[in-house]
Amino acid sequence: MLAPTDQAPGHARRFLVERFRELGIAETYVGRVVVTELVTNSYKHVGFGHIVVRVLPDVRDGLVRIEVWDQGAGTPEVRPENHEATSGRGLLMLAQLVQDWGVRPLVEEGKVVWAAYAP
């Protein structure tokens, strides 16, 4: 569980590396990029409540699933490529790195943004 601050992405990366170690996954680069993007979006665009990060193996297809839960109601969307923009490229990049990603709204409040990829 993380506070929605600029410290959250670093804490999330350290958690991911430790979780990957527990799962026997040596390569952490893509996972660190993914969790950084998802957590950064949570703290920048929601900015309240708390952020929960989960890293789960999906034994059915050999993928790892990274989930970030926050209390925000908004749904993240991939923006079209814009060479003039100074931000807003994160989800576009993430979509190129993972096999699948999506958003699951929660009944109680908030959403889970997830990404799955083969490490």
Side-chain angles (χ1 to χ4, degrees):
M1 190 175 302
L2 306 170
T5 70
D6 63 351
Q7 301 294 307
H11 292 304
R13 283 189 299 273
R14 287 187 287 282
F15 169 73
L16 179 127
V17 168
E18 180 59 35
R19 184 70 176 116
F20 272 28
R21 187 176 298 126
E22 291 171 4
L23 296 171
I25 301 169
E27 199 332 282
T28 65
Y29 181 77
V30 171
R32 287 181 289 131
V33 170
V34 168
V35 80
T36 297
E37 174 59 22
L38 297 180
V39 169
T40 298
N41 282 351
S42 287
Y43 96 80
K44 281 190 169 183
H45 299 291
V46 176
F48 65 89
H50 54 273
I51 301 167
V52 177
V53 177
R54 295 183 354 148
V55 178
L56 310 161
D58 190 336
V59 294
R60 295 170 296 166
D61 52 18
L63 301 178
V64 172
R65 187 175 179 100
I66 299 168
E67 298 183 343
V68 174
W69 178 85
D70 65 46
Q71 294 174 281
T75 302
E77 295 179 17
V78 175
R79 295 182 189 170
E81 190 170 348
N82 178 349
H83 297 289
E84 303 299 317
T86 58
S87 65
R89 295 181 179 94
L91 286 177
L92 181 61
M93 176 186 62
L94 179 141
Q96 300 300 309
L97 293 173
V98 300
Q99 275 73 17
D100 199 10
W101 76 279
V103 181
R104 187 174 69 246
L106 300 174
V107 173
E108 53 275 7
E109 71 176 326
K111 66 187 168 300
V112 174
V113 183
W114 59 270
Y117 80 100

